Structures are given as C-alpha cells and as structure tokens.
Amino acid sequence: MLAKRIIPCLDVKEGRVVKGINFVNLKDAGDPVEQAIIYDSQSADELVFLDITASYEKRSIMIDVVSACAQNIFMPLTVGGGIRTIQDIRNLLKAGADKVSINSAAVRNPDFLNEAVKVFGSQCIVVAIDAKKIGNDFYVFIDGGRVNTNKKVIDWLIEVQERGAGEILLTSMDKDGTKEGYDLELTKLVCENSTIPVIASGGAGKMEHIKQVFEIGADAALAASIFHFGEISIQETKKYLSQNNINVRI
C-alpha cells in the first residue's frame, strides 16, 4: 500500500503567504520561501504553492517566487494559479515545479487538459476542484471561488479523468479555513468515483481530522492553518498517524 502523504499548502497573494476562511478574510502567514524551507526540514511529503488571485486578476503566476521556493527545497513541488497555456506550464516546470495544478483554465477550455497531458504527461497534471454544496449537490467553482460554473463535481471529476488528469486536488469551500475538519461527505463521494489519487483540502484543525480523511479513502491530506501558525508540526502528525495504523513516511 502506498504511503499517505502530508502536504502543506502555501496560498500566496502579492508575494506573501496568506490564509483565510471560506476563501475570504485573508491574513498574513509569512514569507513563502521561509515557510517552504521549514516544511522541507519537517519532512513534508510534498508542497503545494497556489497563487490564489492570479486567475481572477487574469495574470501569470509569480515565477520568481516559485523559483526561489524550488531552489531551497528537496521535496516535490506542485504549483497552481493563473495557468492558461502550455507555455505557462513549461515556464513553471523550468522554474522548478514538479507538477502543475489547473482549475479555471481547464473548466473554461477542457481541451487544454488533453493538450497538457499530451505534452507533459499525466504525472505532471493535477486538476484542482474547488467545491461548494448548493442544495443536495456539490458544484465546481473557479476564479478563486468567485464563480459558480454550475458543473456538478462528480460530472467534472469523471470528465477530467477521461481527459488524462493524473491527480485531483479537492478543496471544500465550505470547510476551508474553519478548522472544523474536512468535508467527509464530499471527499468520500469523490474518492469513491475517482480512479486517480485524491488530495483532500479544506478544514484541517487537528491531527484526528487528517486521520479521518485518510480512513475514507484520500491519498493525501493538504493543510495550511494548523501548520503555518505552529499549532502542530508535520512530524507530530506523522507520528500520530503511524500510531493509528495509517501508513506514512516517517
């Protein structure tokens, strides 16, 4: 069985790490390069770097910040935000990213996914799904959670898998930043319908939440607030998970 992964996330705005609740009310959480170095020293399995306003502001991601992070860490780096072209992906990979995370551009032009997979391979292409529950269904949002696409999450999940995506980064907008725990209903639904790895995101507040999301099928758990502000360390989390029969890299 593959080891479960613990992935800290750097949400970056204007060159600084930020963290909010439900995608709003952002507060400063430090310098991205300094944070990346800390997580590397704590044996994080991967790092996700998201330029959270790039798509909404219709600009390219901050390559210089990505490059500085990549030069200072030795774990895999996934980068997302404002990726719209094959050249954008090429630039990020040249800057040191191992994978790219695509959301808004894939929804607006699904053929872009096919092209990206053809050029770079499935292993490079992560599809980010920002999901919110409306009525009895979960829907996909884009542009940093500002726009409801009216696409149901499972319909979009099935489509991106067929188009060759290698991994899903699933964020619950309802749970994001609340520290109340992951959206287990949403995550379980996606895991049961996914043939590719699923990274669960949104809501981690304590180690037990991470254990719960692994127990329902997530391959990786992404967290920000609990790690950024020093509430718990990645080493503590991995030790706890191992003691609870979750296979992790210590």
Side-chain angles (χ1 to χ4, degrees):
M1 182 185 293
L2 290 175
K4 302 290 189 179
R5 291 170 287 150
I6 303 294
I7 306 177
C9 179
L10 304 180
D11 289 331
V12 178
K13 181 183 181 185
E14 298 171 356
R16 298 288 292 178
V17 179
V18 295
K19 193 59 206 155
I21 299 175
N22 306 130
F23 284 40
V24 296
N25 300 323
L26 304 176
K27 65 178 180 178
D28 190 274
D31 176 78
V33 179
E34 291 175 5
Q35 291 277 18
I37 292 169
I38 290 169
Y39 290 135
D40 195 52
S41 70
Q42 289 185 358
S43 302
D45 295 299
E46 296 181 21
L47 181 69
V48 167
F49 178 111
L50 300 177
D51 188 336
I52 60 172
T53 59
S55 290
Y56 174 68
E57 295 171 359
K58 295 181 171 56
R59 60 170 172 79
S60 298
I61 202 165
M62 293 172 288
I63 290 287
D64 56 335
V65 183
V66 172
S67 180
C69 285
Q71 288 171 17
N72 284 280
I73 62 174
F74 300 94
M75 58 185 161
L77 174 64
T78 298
V79 181
I83 297 170
R84 291 181 290 274
T85 67
I86 293 297
Q87 190 59 47
D88 288 339
I89 299 174
R90 188 171 284 116
N91 290 343
L92 287 169
L93 297 178
K94 283 183 178 178
D98 298 279
K99 296 183 278 188
V100 296
S101 173
I102 306 171
N103 180 2
S104 303
V107 172
R108 290 195 169 101
N109 176 21
D111 289 340
F112 176 46
L113 272 182
N114 299 68
E115 188 181 1
V117 169
K118 183 178 179 181
V119 174
F120 302 106
S122 290
Q123 80 287 345
C124 254
I125 308 301
V126 179
V127 170
I129 299 178
D130 293 340
K132 186 177 181 69
K133 192 170 190 179
I134 301 173
N136 294 319
D137 280 306
F138 292 98
Y139 289 87
V140 177
F141 280 68
I142 58 172
D143 289 346
R146 294 170 176 84
V147 177
N148 182 0
T149 66
N150 294 313
K151 286 180 180 284
K152 292 183 179 179
V153 166
I154 295 304
D155 293 340
W156 181 230
L157 169 70
I158 291 169
E159 181 175 348
V160 301
Q161 288 178 163
E162 291 172 348
R163 290 178 180 273
E167 195 166 31
I168 299 295
L169 171 52
L170 175 69
T171 301
S172 165
M173 292 178 61
D174 298 308
K175 293 287 190 175
D176 176 72
T178 65
K179 301 184 188 176
E180 296 172 353
Y182 294 93
D183 189 325
L184 299 182
E185 179 189 6
L186 169 66
T187 306
K188 189 169 188 289
L189 181 68
V190 169
C191 290
E192 288 175 347
N193 286 276
S194 181
T195 58
I196 56 179
V198 175
I199 304 169
S201 170
K206 53 187 179 180
M207 292 184 285
E208 184 183 358
H209 294 153
I210 295 175
K211 178 174 80 79
Q212 288 170 344
V213 86
F214 283 148
E215 288 173 340
I216 61 167
D219 299 274
L222 184 145
S225 301
I226 57 171
F227 296 145
H228 291 344
F229 302 116
E231 294 168 34
I232 59 172
S233 72
I234 290 169
Q235 288 108 324
E236 287 175 316
T237 303
K238 287 189 170 187
K239 183 177 179 182
Y240 166 82
L241 292 169
S242 182
Q243 290 171 344
N244 283 273
N245 301 311
I246 303 290
N247 182 23
V248 291
R249 297 183 190 90
I250 300 295

